[in-house]
Amino acid sequence: MSKRSSAKYKLDRRMGENIWGRPKSPVNKREYGPGQHGQRRKSKISDFGIQLRAKQKLKGYYGDVTEKQFRKVYEEAVRMKGDTSQNLIGLLEQRLDMVVYRAKWAPTIFAARQIVNHGHIEVNGEKCNIASRRVKPNDVLSLRKKAQEMALVLEAQGLSEREIPEYVSIDGDGKATYVRVPTLDEVPYAVRMEPNLVVEFYSR
């Protein structure tokens, strides 16, 4: 299990963007970086720095997956037919914790991972506690009975800051169907993601 060791909102301040589009993000009040040197004038970033930043932002958005996991997903995207950057996004959106997040069963991707790790999710009727599991088109996810009454889940369902995308279908009875693998322009990011720069970073 991957565990984030630093405060998740530090990523927002380091990038200077509200990565998940949440009202609580400190970027809404302080657009400079974290720490005592956060307000220093920013120097020009090199091409490598721009690519690294794009990778950190994308990796952080998906719950700060480990570098080993992220690189593995990239390598799989390269082997697939078609555009590597599109493949990369498609594979990341197929993670079980991300589908739980997209279904609005958790307020944050970190909470979604916790819900999965604690065994509150079933895939096609079978309990699954592996957050990185690949969900396939037409797979049916179910919230177990106890989870449907959790305050965290009820809070997420009432959030107005994000909508359920078209590639996830909700039937209103604690079930969701993963309809298809999305393209980059279908994914409801709160900020601009640049997977093409991530591809450039790894293919140096």
Side-chain angles (χ1 to χ4, degrees):
M1 170 184 165
S2 171
K3 184 177 180 181
R4 185 171 179 82
S5 57
S6 59
K8 59 180 176 289
Y9 286 129
K10 276 190 178 179
L11 179 68
D12 279 5
R13 291 188 61 194
R14 192 164 73 238
M15 297 296 160
E17 297 179 89
N18 188 348
I19 304 298
W20 298 281
R22 298 219 71 199
K24 293 180 181 179
S25 175
V27 172
N28 297 338
K29 296 180 180 178
R30 300 185 296 274
E31 293 186 357
Y32 50 86
Q36 60 178 323
H37 304 299
Q39 295 186 64
R40 281 187 176 178
R41 181 187 239 170
K42 293 180 180 178
S43 57
K44 187 177 179 182
I45 305 176
S46 65
D47 287 345
F48 171 80
I50 292 171
Q51 293 165 358
L52 176 62
R53 186 184 178 90
K55 187 203 77 165
Q56 290 174 327
K57 184 162 70 169
L58 190 65
K59 189 160 77 84
Y61 179 88
Y62 285 93
D64 220 16
V65 294
T66 64
E67 178 62 27
K68 183 178 179 181
Q69 275 188 328
F70 196 75
R71 175 107 198 191
K72 187 177 178 182
V73 173
Y74 163 75
E75 290 171 350
E76 187 173 348
V78 170
R79 291 193 298 269
M80 294 169 64
K81 290 182 180 179
D83 183 82
T84 301
S85 58
Q86 292 277 4
N87 294 341
L88 177 63
I89 296 302
L91 290 171
L92 290 168
E93 284 291 316
Q94 284 182 270
R95 286 177 58 96
L96 178 56
D97 55 358
M98 181 49 63
V99 181
V100 169
Y101 176 68
R102 293 292 183 221
K104 287 183 75 172
W105 289 347
T108 67
I109 179 58
F110 306 98
R113 184 171 299 165
Q114 184 181 52
I115 287 172
V116 174
N117 288 333
H118 288 181
H120 294 303
I121 301 295
E122 292 180 354
V123 179
N124 298 328
E126 294 184 3
K127 179 180 170 182
C128 182
N129 60 1
I130 302 170
S132 60
R133 171 174 171 163
R134 188 78 45 78
V135 179
K136 299 175 183 177
N138 298 318
D139 276 354
V140 177
L141 279 63
S142 306
L143 266 173
R144 304 189 85 187
K145 191 67 178 177
K146 183 179 177 181
Q148 292 181 39
E149 300 169 0
M150 289 170 58
L152 198 69
V153 174
L154 296 174
E155 175 201 343
Q157 292 173 338
L159 291 176
S160 60
E161 64 209 44
R162 57 190 173 93
E163 298 295 328
I164 298 170
E166 290 185 0
Y167 52 91
V168 177
S169 175
I170 304 295
D171 77 356
D173 191 28
K175 290 186 178 181
T177 302
Y178 189 69
V179 180
R180 65 178 183 277
V181 179
T183 56
L184 175 60
D185 59 351
E186 288 182 295
V187 181
Y189 294 120
V191 296
R192 185 185 178 198
M193 292 294 179
E194 299 170 293
N196 57 309
L197 295 180
V198 179
V199 173
E200 289 176 16
F201 174 86
Y202 281 121
S203 59
R204 288 190 328 277

